[in-house]
Amino acid sequence: MPPRRKRASNQALATAQGPDTPMEEGGGEAVAQEAELKCPGCKDGDEELNKEIWICCDACKTWYHWVCSGIDANTNSTATTGEAGQLLTPEQIDKWFCKSCVEQDPSRTMTLKPPPRKSGRKKAPVDSTGSDTVMSEPHPAAPATEPAAAAASPEVAAPATNATISAGAGAGAAPTSTTTPAPPSPPEVNKWIAIAESKKYSPDNFRRMNGSDIGMEWILRDESAMKEPIVIEAPEGLGMKMPPKEMTVRDVANEVGPDTHVEVIDVQSQSNCPGWTLGKWADYYHSDPTERDKIRNVISLEVSGTPLGTKILPPRLVRELDWVEKHWPHNKKQLGHYPKVQLYCLMSVAQCWTDWHIDFAGSSVYYHILHGSKVFYFIKPTAANLAAYEHWSGTDIQNHTWLGDMADEVVRVELTAGNTMIIPTGWIHAVYTPADTLVFGGNFLHSLNMKTQLRVRDIEIRTRVPKKFRFPLFTKLCWYVGEKYCKDLKAKEDFSPRVLKSLDALAGFLVSEARTIERGSEVAKKEAKENVPTDRVKDASLLARELRWRVRSAAGVDSDTELGGDGDEIVPIKREPGSARQGIRKRKDDHSTPLFKNWQAPEWSNVENLPLEVAHDTVRVEDVEKEDGWMAKEGISGDVMRSKKRNGITKIRKLDQGAIERYSVIRTVEIVTPSGALPKKEPL
């Protein structure tokens, strides 16, 4: 797929994902569906050049390899960097235009960003062996407010030198330089860590449970189950399998393959670092903390189908709830075609920070710490908090705003080695790593809160999260789940009100997909059809509507009644007669907006509001039967006191060919009571 710009930095530098890039959050399946990117500037015979760095033309939006762009790296290097002899890098470019666009408009020229603001701190000496420039350490009592210039963009990967890896890898080779380089300074402390430590938090009242108490019996008997995070302090009784406690990151690299590509995050800029393998990562992880030039993190290594994957088994409850485990066809799983999100290995060094996020599609998470420690900051997924999160994640305020200040409360939770946590649907969280930590966990969707799962997915769409970072094969999985539950409901199986409400939300989503297939645009139709698993679903429209009918029938309501309510009880939501269904536009009776592009309704030439008329009299029903026959039809007879109120509006306008239209609405209110009684005062 084409490289993507990092939203917060507006830079034209990104990495192209190759065919052997491991699956990140969002899945390799989504990456496989993207079109392959081709550089228009590539020539035969230059395969040996470094083609991991890309740059985008600001006119035609075409991506080129940095080495194919035709940019002279020596151009204006002194003016840009302030130091003679330093080569120009992509992150220093503000605007760049390809050769074709320059030929079309010669006024287009490459511009450079202004030089970065110089910090008043002393800088550590530059490593003469060619390692990256290190960042100076701020005073421990003050939060870092000046990120290093090198942290503003993804790091350009380069082969590690002997000086930088010898301590971690145990290599005995001596540096080629005869001058002993000065040791690098510790990386700069992330400002969010300092901010997090200065905040106050609500008490950690999340439940601590025994592993033997976590199962489907708990879900059925406890209405609060899977609504708040829970902590299991010891793994006994959970029914899960984990690697031995002695496992190291070096062991992980050997089990998965040291040449396997891995997604590495630069914590300071929260951006990707290209060109890393597990072997290189193990060298970095096991190096002395004082020798690490930057703080980096790995949180998206999925190990299904590897020798390491056979040593991991999620907790029993997770396997009993997981849609992929329960509803994805077994034959497709054997072929490796399924959402691979169940077995992640997370390797974080001390001082790592993962910013506020919700796991893709609001999926729940199991999280086991093999060794090390973590600190979680949680925000409950209420409607107001999710709205605040959407605003925060979709704008640049995330660069300078602590999301916790926009929420009702934040809860801080500390986890240590041996602890397991289960995070339910949609919980917003940030994570701090106090010490080098190795974690195994995974994501799963379930039938307890589909409404929130769909809401988080909608947030991802509105904030334009790339498909590769969303839950892989989400819609296809929903069709498999809908097909299975439709069979179960047809067989008269009983489900709790909580599950029925969740299935009602699922059915609504599938009906919307069916409508897209029926009357969407050609592009939308094609995508929606491709998401339908034809091996199980023969008629998508029929299945979606049958599922919705059976779910509401099982809940004891009619098909036009939605299943609402915040608790586990079902609160029917009946549509008003004639009201528009959700997703269908209701036509207005007036002409406040034109129905056709080039047509405007004629203006009313005369509008008259009839004044309110109030009259009280006593009449005999039989005498006014011709005028007001309705009283006799209602069984009223004899003398009555009548109170009548009348007003209205009349409009007149001229039409084509001399025609005149008169629009009149007269409103009349009559109240009749037996003679001698006072009329009841009623507002008009």
Side-chain angles (χ1 to χ4, degrees):
M1 68 178 279
R4 62 186 181 91
R5 292 176 183 262
K6 188 176 184 295
R7 181 178 65 249
S9 61
N10 294 325
Q11 60 195 22
L13 172 66
T15 52
Q17 304 296 327
D20 53 354
T21 301
M23 183 172 68
E24 310 173 44
E25 294 189 11
E29 300 296 343
V31 175
Q33 296 173 1
E34 301 286 349
E36 183 182 0
L37 181 71
K38 293 184 179 180
C39 169
C42 281
K43 299 178 182 179
D44 296 336
D46 58 0
E47 290 80 3
E48 300 299 325
L49 298 177
N50 180 7
K51 295 187 177 181
E52 292 183 342
I53 312 304
W54 295 74
I55 188 169
C56 179
C57 174
D58 285 276
C60 64
K61 307 303 179 184
T62 303
W63 289 87
Y64 288 77
H65 293 123
W66 172 250
V67 295
C68 303
S69 63
I71 298 174
D72 184 359
N74 294 298
T75 301
N76 287 341
S77 60
T78 302
T80 306
T81 65
E83 299 178 16
Q86 191 170 356
L87 296 180
L88 185 67
T89 59
E91 57 265 30
Q92 295 168 344
I93 295 178
D94 182 32
K95 291 185 179 295
W96 173 79
F97 303 98
C98 65
K99 183 178 179 181
S100 300
C101 292
V102 172
E103 291 176 352
Q104 294 177 5
D105 185 356
S107 65
R108 292 169 173 164
T109 58
M110 180 179 72
T111 58
L112 305 177
K113 295 179 181 178
R117 181 168 59 89
K118 295 294 184 180
S119 173
R121 306 190 195 109
K122 293 182 179 180
K123 295 184 178 180
V126 177
D127 188 348
S128 61
T129 60
S131 60
D132 294 338
T133 302
V134 297
M135 294 180 288
S136 57
E137 181 183 17
H139 191 280
T145 57
E146 296 183 46
S153 62
E155 181 190 13
V156 179
T161 63
N162 291 335
T164 58
I165 68 171
S166 59
T176 56
S177 173
T178 58
T179 303
T180 303
S185 300
E188 188 171 354
V189 176
N190 188 288
K191 68 175 181 179
W192 298 116
I193 298 175
I195 292 175
E197 291 176 350
S198 67
K199 297 292 183 179
K200 293 183 179 180
Y201 302 100
S202 299
D204 173 13
N205 295 324
F206 295 146
R207 298 173 64 178
R208 268 62 178 173
M209 302 183 65
N210 297 322
S212 57
D213 297 331
I214 307 298
M216 288 303 298
E217 303 83 7
W218 169 58
I219 299 292
L220 294 174
R221 73 170 184 270
D222 190 344
E223 293 182 354
S224 64
M226 290 297 292
K227 292 184 178 179
E228 288 187 345
I230 60 170
V231 177
I232 303 93
E233 296 181 342
E236 289 75 20
L238 271 175
M240 71 177 182
K241 182 173 69 172
M242 287 289 158
K245 298 178 182 178
E246 298 77 20
M247 172 167 276
T248 65
V249 171
R250 180 75 60 192
D251 297 330
V252 172
N254 293 334
E255 292 270 359
V256 180
D259 295 329
T260 301
H261 290 274
V262 63
E263 190 72 24
V264 176
I265 297 176
D266 179 351
V267 172
Q268 188 71 25
S269 62
Q270 292 289 299
S271 56
N272 295 333
C273 304
W276 283 73
T277 64
L278 275 176
K280 180 181 175 180
W281 172 253
D283 293 338
Y284 166 82
Y285 186 95
H286 289 294
S287 64
D288 191 289
T290 60
E291 296 183 358
R292 296 168 183 162
D293 60 327
K294 293 183 181 180
I295 302 298
R296 299 182 175 91
N297 199 4
V298 170
I299 58 175
S300 56
L301 176 64
E302 221 284 339
V303 298
S304 298
T306 68
L308 177 59
T310 61
K311 299 180 180 180
I312 307 171
L313 186 66
R316 177 182 61 256
L317 174 66
V318 173
R319 302 195 306 272
E320 292 173 340
L321 293 176
D322 186 6
W323 276 2
V324 176
E325 188 73 20
K326 293 178 61 178
H327 303 300
W328 196 269
H330 184 66
N331 61 325
K332 291 184 177 291
K333 290 185 67 176
Q334 287 182 324
L335 297 174
H337 181 66
Y338 66 98
K340 297 178 182 178
V341 297
Q342 300 162 301
L343 306 178
Y344 281 108
C345 176
L346 297 82
M347 299 168 282
S348 307
V349 300
Q351 301 301 307
C352 274
W353 173 263
T354 303
D355 215 348
W356 295 103
H357 65 283
I358 306 175
D359 283 82
F360 43 29
S363 55
S364 301
V365 178
Y366 76 92
Y367 197 91
H368 177 76
I369 299 182
L370 198 67
H371 50 73
S373 60
K374 291 277 186 178
V375 178
F376 279 79
Y377 301 89
F378 284 108
I379 296 176
K380 189 174 183 179
T382 63
N385 289 340
L386 287 174
Y389 171 78
E390 180 177 354
H391 174 65
W392 176 87
S393 63
T395 61
D396 287 340
I397 67 171
Q398 62 179 289
N399 297 326
H400 52 77
T401 302
W402 173 255
L403 179 62
D405 293 338
M406 303 170 63
D408 52 358
E409 66 173 358
V410 180
V411 179
R412 182 179 185 273
V413 180
E414 296 184 13
L415 299 180
T416 57
N419 291 171
T420 303
M421 174 180 276
I422 296 181
I423 306 173
T425 301
W427 277 74
I428 310 164
H429 55 283
V431 189
Y432 166 56
T433 308
D436 293 359
T437 304
L438 181 60
V439 172
F440 292 97
N443 297 72
F444 60 101
L445 296 172
H446 53 73
S447 304
L448 299 177
N449 197 351
M450 186 60 185
K451 184 176 181 180
T452 303
Q453 290 171 172
L454 288 171
R455 179 164 187 177
V456 174
R457 177 181 178 271
D458 291 341
I459 291 175
E460 293 172 347
I461 294 173
R462 288 194 295 268
T463 56
R464 299 182 180 181
V465 174
K467 287 186 178 181
K468 63 176 291 186
F469 297 112
R470 301 183 201 169
F471 196 100
L473 303 173
F474 175 85
T475 305
K476 185 165 290 187
L477 176 60
C478 288
W479 281 112
Y480 279 129
V481 174
E483 188 267 344
K484 179 62 169 62
Y485 273 108
C486 195
K487 286 183 178 179
D488 294 342
L489 289 167
K490 189 182 295 186
K492 304 300 182 182
E493 288 195 26
D494 292 330
F495 296 100
S496 67
R498 184 177 178 183
V499 172
L500 288 176
K501 286 197 299 181
S502 183
L503 293 180
D504 188 56
L506 172 64
F509 170 69
L510 295 181
V511 168
S512 69
E513 287 291 303
R515 287 176 180 153
T516 300
I517 295 175
E518 295 165 356
R519 51 180 179 264
S521 65
E522 291 303 319
V523 175
K525 281 183 180 180
K526 181 180 179 182
E527 182 178 0
K529 288 180 180 179
E530 291 174 349
N531 288 328
V532 178
T534 54
D535 57 322
R536 294 283 182 88
V537 180
K538 305 304 179 184
D539 189 330
S541 299
L542 178 63
L543 172 64
R545 290 173 172 85
E546 181 183 357
L547 175 64
R548 184 173 62 181
W549 174 78
R550 292 192 179 278
V551 167
R552 294 177 179 178
S553 177
V557 300
D558 59 62
S559 59
D560 284 333
T561 303
E562 297 177 0
L563 307 186
D566 295 331
D568 288 340
E569 75 284 354
I570 292 178
V571 178
I573 302 176
K574 182 70 175 178
R575 291 194 185 93
E576 294 296 331
S579 65
R581 291 179 178 269
Q582 184 178 4
I584 300 179
R585 187 182 305 166
K586 183 178 180 181
R587 175 172 291 181
K588 298 181 180 180
D589 293 332
D590 62 3
H591 302 297
S592 57
T593 57
L595 299 179
F596 302 97
K597 182 177 180 181
N598 297 317
W599 179 83
Q600 293 288 340
E603 295 290 337
W604 296 103
S605 58
N606 186 14
V607 178
E608 180 182 0
N609 289 304
L610 302 180
L612 177 64
E613 298 177 359
V614 180
H616 304 282
D617 58 359
T618 302
V619 298
R620 187 175 182 81
V621 174
E622 290 77 13
D623 295 341
V624 295
E625 185 173 358
K626 292 183 179 180
E627 177 186 352
D628 290 327
W630 67 272
M631 289 186 285
K633 292 181 181 178
E634 295 295 329
I636 302 174
S637 61
D639 294 335
V640 296
M641 294 186 64
R642 180 174 62 177
S643 178
K644 180 181 293 188
K645 301 177 182 180
R646 181 174 179 270
N647 72 343
I649 186 173
T650 301
K651 300 180 181 181
I652 297 176
R653 63 183 172 187
K654 296 181 179 180
L655 303 178
D656 295 337
Q657 299 177 352
I660 297 178
E661 177 184 3
R662 181 175 181 269
Y663 173 85
S664 179
V665 176
I666 306 298
R667 294 180 292 271
T668 303
V669 177
E670 287 185 82
I671 301 174
V672 295
T673 57
S675 180
L678 293 176
K680 185 178 179 181
K681 299 296 183 180
E682 292 288 345
L684 181 62

